[in-house]
Amino acid sequence: VRSLNTSRSAATNPSSRKPRIRAVQKKLAAEGVDAFLVTHLPNIFYLCGFTGSNGILSLSQSGATLFTDGRYTVQARDEAHGAASVQITKGSLLAAAAETLRRQRHRRVAFEPAHITVAQQSALDRASGGRIRWTGWHGVIESLRAVKDAHELAIMRAAAQLACDVFQQIIPFVKPGARESDLAAEIEYSMRKKGATGPSFETIIASGPRAALPHARPTSKLLRKNELVVFDLGVILGHYCSDLTRTVHLGRASSRVRRWYRAVLEAQQAARVVVRPGVTAGEVDQAVRKVLRGYRLERRFIHSTGHGLGLEVHETLRLARGEKTPLVPGNVITIEPGVYIEGVGGIRIEDDVVVTETGSEVLTTAGREFLEL
Ligand SMILES: [Mn+2]
C-alpha cells in the first residue's frame, strides 16, 4: 500500500498517458478543432502526470505542451516526460498558452468552460487578439476518466481498503464521552500513518441529533449513550480517492432505530445487486428508493444515491432520479442511501463499487452489520 503512494512510477504510470492524449487528439481531428486547452488540474494529471498546483496543458492534433512556472522546472519535466513537452512561463500561463496558439496559427481552440473563470476567459480573448474561435468542451476528459483501467482499479482497491482499515481501527475508541473532533483527528492521523496522502474530504463524524445532518462537520460534542454515530471518511492514496460511510449505535438500539438501519442496509444491498453494464445510473437510484418506499422512509432520504469516484471524490456519474447514463465496465461509483430524522439522528451506509464486465465488485469490505457498541 505504501509503495502506491511513494513510488512515482506507480503514481504517474507514463505508459498509460499516451493513449489518453491520443484519444483527445483523435477527437480534435474528428471535430476539426485545432487545439484543446486543459485547465482543470486533475484532468492535467490524468493526461500527462503533472502533479503541481499551477499548470495548463495545451493539446494540438500532433503535440502536447505543459505550461507551468519556474517552481516546477524539474518536477514538470520529470512527471510529464514522454507525455508532454514543458514550457516554463513567467506571468500568466493562460496568456502564454494563448500566444503560442496564435503564433502556431490555430483558429479553432477548445477549452473547459467548467474550469475557467470569467476573468481568465477575457484574458484568453485578449491574448489571442480575436484570431481564435473558442469552443467549450464540456466534460470531455471527465468522460475518459469515468472508465478506469486495471492500473487505476488496483490503486482504488488499495485506497478503499485503507479507509476500511482506518474505520476498523477507530471502533474501540467509539464510546460515550469521546469527542467527535478527537475521533476525526485520530482517523486522519491513522490515514497518514497507513500511507495515505491525506483525507479525500473533511472527515464527517456526526452523533446523536447531528447525525440527521448528512454533511455534518465534527464538533466538540461528546458522544453519548443511546446515540447513532455516522462516520463518513475517505483517503487519497496514489492520487485516487475512496469514500466510506458506516453508522454505529452506542448501546442497545430501540426497535425503531433497528428498523431504520435494516431499511437502509436493504436499500443499499438492493442497489449493489442491480449494478452491471447497461443499467442506468437512475435505475440504481430507483432500486434504493423502492426499498425505502416499502418502509415508508423515502421522504427521509434527502440526497442522491451516489456519485462517480476517482481522482476526485465527486466526479462524472450521478446516481440520481432520472439519470439516463448507462453504466459501463470500469466505472467506479458510490452507493450511499441514508435516512435522516430531524432531532433524532440519521443512518447512512456507503460503499465504493466497480462496474465489471459481468456485474460489480465492492471495494469497501468493512462489515455492514449493525454495531451496537
Ligand atoms: Mn460519497
Side-chain angles (χ1 to χ4, degrees):
V1 161
R2 209 156 267 178
S3 69
L4 288 171
N5 190 40
T6 51
S7 138
R8 181 164 359 90
S9 66
T12 56
N13 192 27
S15 65
S16 63
R17 309 288 172 204
K18 277 196 173 154
R20 295 173 185 172
I21 289 181
R22 259 200 304 272
V24 178
Q25 289 171 329
K26 236 186 241 166
K27 183 176 165 70
L28 285 168
E31 302 203 1
V33 175
D34 299 315
F36 182 24
L37 275 192
V38 184
T39 48
H40 188 46
L41 287 170
N43 289 345
I44 293 173
F45 170 76
Y46 181 78
L47 292 168
C48 78
F50 178 59
T51 63
S53 63
N54 186 31
I56 290 177
L57 183 64
S58 177
L59 298 176
S60 69
Q61 288 182 27
S62 59
T65 307
L66 172 67
F67 294 84
T68 184
D69 66 69
R71 294 172 297 169
Y72 295 115
T73 308
V74 175
Q75 180 185 326
R77 279 187 193 132
D78 202 18
E79 291 177 336
H81 180 77
S85 63
V86 174
Q87 195 163 315
I88 302 298
T89 304
K90 286 185 187 141
S92 158
L93 303 187
L94 271 177
E99 267 152 34
T100 305
L101 291 169
R102 191 170 106 181
R103 241 188 355 262
Q104 292 166 339
R105 299 185 185 285
H106 289 316
R107 297 264 180 261
R108 218 175 143 221
V109 179
F111 68 104
E112 298 184 291
H115 305 296
I116 193 166
T117 65
V118 173
Q120 285 173 323
Q121 193 172 13
S122 52
L124 270 184
D125 274 337
R126 271 196 310 279
S128 57
R131 303 220 190 116
I132 291 175
R133 235 169 75 228
W134 297 100
T135 171
W137 270 11
H138 280 276
V140 168
I141 311 301
E142 283 82 350
S143 344
L144 295 176
R145 280 171 46 195
V147 181
K148 275 73 177 173
D149 63 27
H151 174 78
E152 293 176 291
L153 291 177
I155 301 175
M156 292 193 72
R157 219 168 265 127
Q161 189 55 51
L162 202 157
C164 291
D165 292 346
V166 168
F167 174 69
Q168 306 287 8
Q169 197 182 299
I170 202 74
I171 290 174
F173 299 95
V174 181
K175 47 185 155 203
R179 197 179 295 279
E180 288 179 351
S181 56
D182 284 343
L183 291 174
E186 218 39 72
I187 283 174
E188 293 184 5
Y189 177 74
S190 165
M191 289 174 179
R192 282 187 174 260
K193 288 295 274 187
K194 291 179 189 298
T197 320
S200 53
F201 55 90
E202 197 184 335
T203 300
I204 294 170
I205 297 177
S207 60
R210 295 181 40 72
L213 314 172
H215 265 197
R217 287 206 160 102
T219 64
S220 57
K221 179 185 173 302
L222 305 180
L223 272 48
R224 295 167 55 166
K225 206 168 160 68
N226 298 320
E227 281 184 344
L228 286 159
V229 190
V230 174
F231 292 84
D232 189 348
L233 58 114
V235 310
I236 302 174
L237 178 69
H239 303 280
Y240 286 82
C241 298
S242 57
D243 193 355
L244 170 76
T245 307
R246 291 292 183 265
T247 304
V248 305
H249 189 268
L250 293 188
R252 269 182 74 81
S254 65
S255 58
R256 179 177 75 149
V257 168
R258 283 187 184 174
R259 183 175 169 275
W260 292 340
Y261 194 92
R262 202 178 332 124
V264 174
L265 185 56
E266 256 177 50
Q268 209 253 3
Q269 168 109 26
R272 275 189 277 123
V273 165
V274 303
V275 170
R276 64 176 180 278
V279 168
T280 68
E283 284 167 336
V284 179
D285 181 75
Q286 270 315 309
V288 161
R289 290 179 200 280
K290 190 176 166 205
V291 171
L292 292 180
R293 208 173 301 129
Y295 280 87
R296 304 178 64 94
L297 285 169
E298 72 275 22
R299 293 211 332 275
R300 307 297 192 168
F301 178 38
I302 54 180
H303 51 75
S304 59
T305 291
H307 51 87
L309 185 71
L311 290 172
E312 292 174 280
V313 72
H314 293 113
E315 50 178 64
T316 296
L317 272 177
R318 261 172 47 77
L319 283 81
R321 218 188 292 267
E323 287 286 326
K324 303 262 188 317
T325 315
L327 300 177
V328 299
N331 287 157
V332 180
I333 55 175
T334 68
I335 298 182
E336 48 178 312
V339 300
Y340 306 92
I341 318 288
E342 196 183 337
V344 180
I347 292 163
R348 180 165 68 255
I349 302 171
E350 174 181 32
D351 285 303
D352 304 342
V353 177
V354 183
V355 183
T356 64
E357 296 290 339
T358 52
S360 67
E361 174 194 349
V362 179
L363 299 183
T364 35
T365 55
R368 297 172 200 94
E369 71 281 6
F370 192 26
L371 293 180
E372 299 172 284
L373 303 171

